[in-house]
Amino acid sequence: MASLKFDRSRAVPMRGDGQGQPASKTGRLVIVSNRVADLSKGNLAGGLAVAVGEALKSSGGLWFGWSGARSAEAHSKGPNIQTFGNVSTATVDLTEKEFEDYYLGFSNRCLWPLFHYRLDLAELHTTGQATYFEVNKRFAAEVAPLIQTDDTIWVHDYHLIPFAAHLRQKQVTNRIGFFLHIPFPAPELFSALPHHRDFAKTFFAYDLVGFQTVRDRENFARYAEEYLNCRRLNDGRLRGFGRTLRIEAFPIGIDAESFAAEAEKNARAPELRALAREVESERLIVGVDRLDYSKGLPERVRAMGSLLEKWPNYIGKVQLLQIAPPTREGVQAYDEIRSELERITGEVNGRYGDFVWSPVRYVNRPVPRAMLAGLFRRSRVGLVTPLRDGMNLVAKEYVAAQDPADPGVLVLSQFAGAAEQMEEALMVNPHDPAETATAIRRALEMPLGERRARHKALWNQIVSESVGWWRERFLAVLHETNGQPATPGGPSTRNALRSEAVPHEQSSDPTAR
Ligand code: ADQ
């Protein structure tokens, strides 16, 4: 088994200039993702929009995905195409049933928990799996006529895993890459998914599959070898279903310099000055997450309780400001995590708080990005303790926002993908509140020299492995894959995916579910 540490040399393309320039720059870029950013807004804020927006602008291209709207005419309308300079967006609606079964159902009630190691929460028998495949098929049919011969196609995330298999059925032979933003679980967990082999073999319609971490890549490779009878080649690629699939770890990054500038500009915002009057900066601990059960929020509040129990000198002095806006409302597990967080917060505040101070301040709504940057800079501790996370960009943003002369300290879960790169953070097991409490204390008391040294190492890491580095590496590696033709010269992808028997069970057409 390969080492589970992120190996920088492997993420570098075999050819290319090593500076992040694609080895052979050809044609447009086509991005396919569940949601599409609104390009009419000049400034793209955060997430995938920033990550791929630049690449789209430089090569020209198309961004295809769900409009965010639900309508009864979703199937008859065709894509809504809008053009902004050399970039177009093409969006389609979902029907109510598709929204319920493809988005809330199979994607978010089954795949999300399963891929985050939460077999207990995964609704494995959801009827949504068939609709998930149908939506992928319809999306592929809607985008196929818009694709040009020399386009490079880059598909994102767990909503769209079988997308390329459907596109290949439309005789699309372009290079197609896929990036999984969330973890890929241990094979023993993944194999609990009904029809997992039919589902997993659709990965082989891609030329390149990118994961956040080496651990995720190796989980997938082990699954493919053990459950799909694929062969691992000496260079790490996987051979199966008549195709050769390159798999790599591409840890996603941020634009650290621009986030740092934002933090510096906003650290003295009036709202934050008011906060500073109540809690001294050197006693402020921050957490910023979507309110998701993968983020370890109740465990984090328990750790605050543990800190105050063990070191009562902090009572009345430190505060955790936890910003956690609601997400995926309508999925029961999210309602439950919200109630649990509110109950535990009430418990800890009730036990340790008084008239003028409470240990946990909880804000249940989104906060503008600029304000978050300023808040990170004004705090002493960044608490990023997910139970499982593909990467976790908040960890990187927290480091980017710090004043290098007087930086705060990052406390990071060993189960965040970011832990593979950010070794100078204080690493914790988020399931152990006592261990997290000890790390919080260490962060609060850390001498300036150690804070600076840790921050410097982390800053260098996030600047060199930025979002631009991630994007260019992915595209450079994708460009150097052979773009295996689906027609003469090799077995057709369509036939390979259809007819090559999966030895363990009766193979059905994965794209016809
Ligand atoms: P997420 O699970 O959404 O992303 P994360 O990586 O932390 O998690 O990104 C969240 C982004 O939203 C950050 O840029 C953060 O600043 C912003 N954000 C969070 N809370 C906010 C709030 N209250 N108000 C405003 N903005 C807020 C998925 C995977 C991650 C992976 C990313 C990118 O789950 O593991 O790192 O995709 O690949």
Side-chain angles (χ1 to χ4, degrees):
M1 177 157 179
S3 151
L4 289 182
K5 264 183 75 61
F6 176 60
D7 172 3
R8 294 192 165 96
S9 62
R10 266 194 66 105
V12 175
M14 293 166 189
R15 297 191 296 271
D17 70 356
Q19 302 298 310
Q21 291 309 309
S24 58
K25 207 160 180 288
T26 50
R28 302 181 314 167
L29 180 61
V30 175
I31 298 288
V32 181
S33 58
N34 180 54
R35 293 302 306 276
V36 176
D38 182 355
L39 299 181
S40 65
K41 295 188 179 136
N43 276 339
L44 298 177
L48 202 56
V50 171
V52 301
E54 284 302 313
L56 271 174
K57 271 190 246 154
S58 77
S59 58
L62 175 71
W63 192 341
F64 176 87
W66 175 35
S67 61
R70 283 116 78 177
S71 69
E73 313 79 50
H75 289 212
S76 54
K77 282 210 295 211
N80 172 19
I81 299 178
Q82 290 187 293
T83 300
F84 309 89
N86 63 349
V87 180
S88 299
T89 57
T91 54
V92 291
D93 295 351
L94 291 178
T95 63
E96 280 300 334
K97 178 175 164 43
E98 287 169 343
F99 174 72
E100 182 55 42
D101 289 353
Y102 149 79
Y103 179 71
L104 291 180
F106 192 63
S107 297
N108 286 322
R109 289 197 184 99
C110 180
L111 294 182
W112 176 273
L114 178 65
F115 280 41
H116 285 85
Y117 292 66
R118 294 299 300 268
L119 211 44
D120 58 323
L121 296 178
E123 293 179 27
L124 295 170
H125 289 285
T126 161
T127 50
Q129 187 167 167
T131 308
Y132 173 89
F133 274 87
E134 280 157 23
V135 168
N136 269 269
K137 186 174 181 181
R138 176 163 75 85
F139 279 11
E142 304 253 28
V143 85
L146 307 176
I147 288 173
Q148 300 171 4
T149 329
D150 56 357
D151 285 347
T152 295
I153 304 166
W154 188 2
V155 181
H156 289 262
D157 231 357
Y158 59 103
H159 315 87
L160 297 167
I161 290 168
F163 187 83
H166 291 295
L167 214 47
R168 297 293 187 206
Q169 295 230 320
K170 297 273 170 202
Q171 307 307 323
V172 171
T173 58
N174 302 49
R175 283 192 181 89
I176 315 181
F178 176 83
F179 184 75
L180 184 66
H181 288 256
I182 64 176
F184 190 86
E188 295 73 17
L189 285 174
F190 184 73
S191 63
L193 179 71
H195 314 294
H196 58 93
R197 290 190 181 90
D198 286 343
F199 182 76
K201 70 184 181 182
T202 65
F203 276 110
F204 284 79
Y206 292 98
D207 298 297
L208 169 67
V209 172
F211 298 92
Q212 297 275 26
T213 66
V214 173
R215 181 176 301 278
D216 300 320
R217 183 192 73 201
E218 291 308 307
N219 278 345
F220 180 75
R222 191 155 70 83
Y223 171 80
E225 286 180 290
E226 289 178 16
Y227 291 82
L228 300 178
N229 268 9
C230 291
R231 195 157 56 86
R232 192 94 189 256
L233 305 180
N234 288 340
D235 60 9
R237 290 180 303 162
L238 285 167
R239 184 85 198 135
F241 310 103
R243 291 180 59 87
T244 306
L245 175 65
R246 188 154 173 195
I247 52 172
E248 292 292 350
F250 299 97
I252 195 168
I254 61 165
D255 180 349
E257 272 124 354
S258 82
F259 201 83
E262 197 81 73
E264 198 173 354
K265 200 165 97 195
N266 289 288
R268 314 231 157 262
E271 295 89 330
L272 296 179
R273 276 210 300 268
L275 175 68
R277 275 196 295 276
E278 288 184 42
V279 198
E280 295 168 66
S281 283
E282 57 269 32
R283 295 288 179 223
L284 182 62
I285 303 162
V286 293
V288 172
D289 312 75
R290 286 182 304 99
L291 211 177
D292 193 294
Y293 49 77
S294 64
K295 304 292 182 184
L297 296 169
E299 290 77 3
R300 197 176 299 177
V301 174
R302 263 188 219 113
M304 278 302 289
S306 179
L307 176 83
L308 300 174
E309 187 183 348
K310 214 160 163 194
W311 292 286
N313 56 307
Y314 289 128
I315 293 175
K317 302 223 170 54
V318 298
Q319 187 171 64
L320 167 64
L321 173 54
Q322 177 62 55
I323 299 174
T327 174
R328 296 175 198 165
E329 287 167 294
V331 176
Q332 193 187 345
Y334 287 78
D335 300 339
E336 286 171 9
I337 191 71
R338 183 181 177 153
S339 311
E340 191 187 349
L341 176 62
E342 288 171 2
R343 187 180 56 74
I344 290 173
T345 301
E347 224 173 86
V348 172
N349 281 343
R351 182 168 313 156
Y352 297 102
D354 60 27
F355 292 150
V356 290
W357 172 83
S358 58
V360 182
R361 185 184 296 218
Y362 157 57
V363 179
N364 183 226
R365 58 172 184 277
V367 168
R369 212 172 153 66
M371 197 56 59
L372 285 184
L375 176 66
F376 288 157
R377 195 177 176 96
R378 295 208 64 148
S379 67
R380 174 52 55 85
V381 185
L383 210 42
V384 181
T385 54
L387 304 182
R388 196 62 67 170
D389 219 324
M391 177 53 54
N392 196 299
L393 295 179
V394 173
K396 296 184 175 185
E397 291 168 353
Y398 184 79
V399 170
Q402 298 310 304
D403 174 0
D406 185 19
V409 179
L410 175 65
V411 174
L412 180 62
S413 161
Q414 68 190 75
F415 301 118
E420 248 181 42
Q421 292 168 293
M422 305 183 82
E423 287 168 5
E424 293 79 8
L426 295 186
M427 221 59 84
V428 295
N429 172 2
H431 297 281
D432 182 349
E435 184 182 317
T436 307
T438 304
I440 296 172
R441 178 170 181 262
R442 192 169 161 209
L444 287 167
E445 304 301 330
M446 190 177 285
L448 180 62
E450 185 180 351
R451 280 191 281 128
R452 281 187 183 160
R454 285 177 184 271
H455 174 260
K456 191 171 172 201
L458 289 169
W459 167 259
N460 290 340
Q461 187 279 314
I462 59 171
V463 167
S464 63
E465 291 165 7
S466 66
V467 67
W469 171 88
W470 168 79
R471 177 182 67 224
E472 298 302 341
R473 286 287 179 283
F474 185 94
L475 290 174
V477 175
L478 179 57
H479 278 119
E480 70 165 37
T481 59
N482 292 332
Q484 306 161 61
T487 41
S492 100
T493 302
R494 178 180 180 168
N495 289 337
L497 284 169
R498 275 198 163 155
S499 62
E500 192 166 298
V502 179
H504 304 270
E505 67 180 17
Q506 191 72 31
S507 172
S508 61
D509 176 0
T511 63
R513 303 189 64 83

